[in-house]
Amino acid sequence: MTSARLPRIAYFSMEIALEDGIPTYSGGLGVLAGDTMRSAADLALPVVGVTLASRSGYFRQQIAAGAQHEQPQDWNPASRTEPVKLKVPVRIGGREVWVTAWEYRVSSRCVDSQPVPVLLLDTDLPENHPQDRSLTGALYGGDNPYRLAQEIVLGIGGARLLAAMGLGIDKYHLNEGHAALLTLELLRDRLQAPGATPEAAIESVRQRCVFTTHTPVPAGHDQFEYDLAFAYLGEPVPPGLLRSLGGAERLNMTRLALNLSGWVNGVAQRHAEVSRTMFPGYEVHAITNGVHPWSWASDGHRALYDRYVPHWCHEPEQLIHATRIPLPEIAQAHASAKEALLRTAAERVGDHGLRMDRLTVGFARRMTAYKRPLLLFSDLPRLRRIAQRWPLQIVMGGKAHPRDLEGKQHIERLHGLARELAPEISLVFLPDYGMGLARCMVPGVDLWLNTPQRPLEASGTSGMKAALNGVPNLSVLDGWWLEGCEEGITGWAVGPDGPHDPAVDAQSLYQKLEHVVAPMFYQDPQAWHFLGREAISRNGSQFNSHRMLRRYVLEAYSR
Ligand SMILES: *Cc1c(COP(=O)(O)O)cnc(C)c1O
């Protein structure tokens, strides 16, 4: 009999959201990675996370005269983590760069398991060239060479550090293509074995690697000119072999990860389908994302679930029994979350006339064109007419990548709209959207709006956080919502599951808001809270990171 042992997993991600004060993430990808670590702790799984220390963070968003300004968000790893007393060398552009790490421990809030270690890689060592000391500084900052150097630190440095620590990794999970150079390090190692053939070495790497792709937007897939790649990497494997694995024209990190991973998946069913057409010839599975239940439930909802849904924290499937919770208590938990949001809004941006009794629409996520933050405002006379009958207030937030000029213009336009629409409609933009603000904002609004351009959403996770707190979604049918939407039961769809047509989406959005959503909110509070409770029961019980991670274990890691 062989003794069954859980495979030891190393989870590589350019960003991991550990806690609000640690700015090592930019948005949904990092929050997903953090939720994965938190679920691993709740499920007592042998996982180690690997990411960059990002000592100057992503950026702190300030709004001045309605426009985004970016400030560095420096943090000191020593304040929250323990040093790993090891360092490993990598070569970058002919120089030796030493990589060390800080260990953060993710502990479960409900079971007595070993904490999950997350290694934050750091090159800020006196023995490194001054330029190399800043490689683990700015998350997604700098130019293409800087990005490639960061990916060398993450993929190659991370793999070498794990080896030096003697952790005995069975499977490597690449969360997005940023970590794909890790596959090259494993391949280089295998090719050095006596009698190794390229075919056998590739097969051995594929056995050990799992790759999750996260975006159907082409700009989301890193590519580097081979001149730069060879200058920085040297020749970890013969150049012809690298070109055959990484793409003919440029080194494409997605291509490399696809070719060297034995399991590939997308983050929702539709996203996996779209990825199959983007990458013909590869088998792309679907494991729909989820959110970490304890982390994303508001204080009031945690207390309710503790009382009515025992064990929900480590077995969130139990939330299907949220139907036991009396509706007045659902209403009360929501009212507390809404009060907290209005208080926070007043503290951060002053009094904009937000009121407890008004239908409050929330929209916050990365500010970028395909998320279409302006769709709700595409017909202002119509929006005003709706608000005359059914008073509306809108709370928004989100950062634009510093080089996403269109995203930054959207932020300016939203501030212009806030001035135009006041005082009939209060529109408030809360700066510096991050984990802490999301935890306040998502449960505190009455309705969570999402209007991405199909099929670019991949999954989306903030809507799952809304559902977990009994906040219904009004969302385009894309990503997870194709699986979670039960019309009139967990929320509502904007537009059809059909070809992209902004006019049809806008028409549907106004129609639902005016004739379905707002009338129910104002005229039938009982039905409204019933619907919120169904969202918890039907969506919250399913779209959590415990379910997601168990599926990774059973389908991807144990293969
Ligand atoms: C959950 C979350 C996201 C993801 O939002 P989407 O709806 O998937 O776009 C982004 N940023 C923060 C801070 C989050 O908490």
Side-chain angles (χ1 to χ4, degrees):
M1 215 173 70
T2 55
S3 74
R5 179 175 75 83
L6 285 168
R8 180 169 281 281
I9 314 304
Y11 183 92
F12 278 64
S13 183
M14 189 80 137
E15 47 174 313
I16 303 186
L18 298 168
E19 50 178 88
D20 197 31
I22 300 186
T24 52
Y25 67 99
S26 78
L29 183 72
V31 171
L32 178 83
D35 283 355
T36 304
M37 299 301 101
R38 290 181 272 277
S39 279
D42 292 342
L43 297 172
L45 293 171
V47 172
V48 50
V50 181
T51 190
L52 301 184
S54 298
R55 280 169 169 272
S56 26
Y58 181 48
F59 65 87
R60 189 188 304 283
Q61 181 191 53
Q62 286 180 343
I63 303 288
Q68 169 175 299
H69 296 267
E70 300 103 24
Q71 307 295 338
Q73 194 170 6
D74 295 325
W75 76 290
N76 177 9
S79 65
R80 302 288 241 283
T81 65
E82 296 294 323
V84 172
K85 294 189 175 88
L86 276 174
K87 60 180 180 181
V88 293
V90 295
R91 286 200 85 75
I92 303 179
R95 270 204 303 267
E96 188 154 82
V97 180
W98 289 93
V99 181
T100 185
W102 301 86
E103 182 180 327
Y104 180 93
R105 296 194 186 97
V106 178
S107 296
S108 171
R109 298 301 185 138
C110 46
V111 301
D112 191 15
S113 61
Q114 290 288 321
V116 167
V118 175
L119 304 176
L120 301 153
L121 303 175
D122 191 2
T123 61
D124 189 12
L125 291 168
E127 49 272 55
N128 284 334
H129 187 280
Q131 218 173 310
D132 299 330
R133 293 184 67 163
S134 66
L135 287 178
T136 47
L139 177 62
Y140 303 132
D143 52 9
N144 233 23
Y146 183 78
R147 172 71 78 96
L148 179 60
Q150 288 191 322
E151 296 190 7
I152 293 173
V153 172
L154 176 65
I156 299 178
R160 287 186 187 165
L161 195 74
L162 289 174
M165 292 172 79
L167 287 179
I169 302 301
D170 300 300
K171 301 279 177 185
Y172 295 85
H173 190 155
L174 286 67
N175 187 42
E176 192 50 292
H178 309 128
L181 294 174
L182 135 74
T183 62
L184 276 193
E185 169 65 8
L186 300 178
L187 185 60
R188 184 194 61 77
D189 183 65
R190 271 307 139 115
L191 284 169
Q192 283 174 347
T197 64
E199 294 72 29
I202 288 171
E203 197 37 48
S204 152
V205 175
R206 288 172 49 84
Q207 280 289 325
R208 284 176 288 155
C209 290
V210 168
F211 172 46
T212 301
T213 178
H214 284 267
T215 175
V217 182
H221 299 266
D222 280 336
Q223 303 201 25
F224 301 101
E225 298 298 333
Y226 273 111
D227 284 350
L228 174 68
F230 289 122
Y232 267 38
L233 283 164
E235 290 185 12
V237 304
L241 183 58
L242 182 56
R243 284 178 193 268
S244 75
L245 294 166
E249 303 286 310
R250 276 173 291 275
L251 177 58
N252 179 318
M253 301 310 246
T254 301
R255 216 20 91 183
L256 187 64
L258 286 169
N259 283 327
L260 286 169
S261 300
W263 168 281
V264 176
N265 76 288
V267 290
Q269 311 237 359
R270 176 61 53 84
H271 176 235
E273 287 161 26
V274 172
S275 300
R276 280 175 215 131
T277 62
M278 286 176 80
F279 313 118
Y282 296 93
E283 193 180 359
V284 182
H285 303 267
I287 296 181
T288 303
N289 281 345
V291 297
H292 184 250
W294 193 87
S295 301
W296 292 107
S298 80
D299 293 349
H301 288 88
R302 283 178 190 160
L304 269 190
Y305 302 157
D306 284 345
R307 184 136 42 96
Y308 290 100
V309 191
H311 313 304
W312 70 281
C313 176
H314 69 284
E315 195 186 349
E317 291 72 14
Q318 294 295 335
L319 286 171
I320 197 138
H321 299 301
T323 47
R324 293 175 192 144
I325 305 172
L327 288 181
E329 297 194 41
I330 294 276
Q332 184 49 50
H334 179 66
S336 306
K338 191 169 179 178
E339 273 161 14
L341 170 62
L342 299 197
R343 247 192 335 268
T344 299
E347 279 162 22
R348 305 245 171 126
V349 295
D351 179 18
H352 286 263
L354 295 180
R355 289 169 41 169
M356 275 301 282
D357 59 354
R358 291 221 167 136
L359 174 57
T360 306
V361 179
F363 182 108
R365 46 189 45 90
R366 189 153 50 89
M367 282 289 153
T368 193
Y370 85 83
K371 298 274 197 181
R372 298 196 298 182
L374 300 176
L375 191 79
L376 177 63
F377 308 100
S378 51
D379 183 347
L380 289 181
R382 177 136 191 214
L383 185 65
R384 281 205 170 92
R385 273 202 311 279
I386 297 173
Q388 265 160 21
R389 174 119 196 257
W390 312 109
L392 282 181
Q393 56 194 15
I394 305 164
V395 182
M396 302 186 82
K399 298 177 179 178
H401 186 279
R403 283 195 301 275
D404 183 352
L405 299 183
E406 208 179 351
K408 293 172 89 166
Q409 279 166 5
H410 285 344
I411 293 175
E412 292 185 44
R413 179 71 190 126
L414 288 171
H415 284 86
L417 283 162
R419 288 190 297 273
E420 278 176 52
L421 291 169
E424 288 80 20
I425 302 177
S426 296
L427 165 56
V428 173
F429 187 97
L430 298 180
D432 209 34
Y433 186 60
M435 275 178 100
L437 195 51
R439 226 179 84 70
C440 172
M441 196 166 156
V442 180
V445 298
D446 298 308
L447 180 73
W448 193 248
L449 178 69
N450 191 17
T451 53
Q453 174 182 332
R454 283 185 303 276
L456 302 183
E457 177 71 339
S459 166
T461 52
S462 59
M464 302 173 184
K465 301 168 193 165
L468 179 70
N469 289 285
V471 172
N473 280 270
L474 174 62
S475 170
V476 158
L477 286 170
D478 198 8
W480 83 281
W481 192 232
L482 277 163
E483 297 159 50
C485 177
E486 296 178 61
E487 183 74 16
I489 297 174
T490 58
W492 303 271
V494 171
D497 174 16
H500 167 59
D501 183 338
V504 170
D505 288 350
Q507 166 65 19
S508 163
L509 170 56
Y510 291 128
Q511 196 273 338
K512 292 258 166 97
L513 204 52
E514 179 169 13
H515 298 293
V516 184
V517 178
M520 185 195 274
F521 179 83
Y522 282 110
Q523 296 178 331
D524 195 348
Q526 181 89 357
W528 184 265
H529 295 302
F530 187 86
L531 192 133
R533 195 174 65 181
E534 290 300 306
I536 298 167
S537 165
R538 294 168 188 245
N539 290 162
S541 63
Q542 185 182 352
F543 295 97
N544 55 72
S545 46
H546 287 43
R547 185 246 335 129
M548 175 191 77
L549 188 54
R550 278 201 308 259
R551 284 202 47 198
Y552 274 112
V553 171
L554 295 174
E555 296 167 41
Y557 303 157
S558 303
R559 159 179 68 84

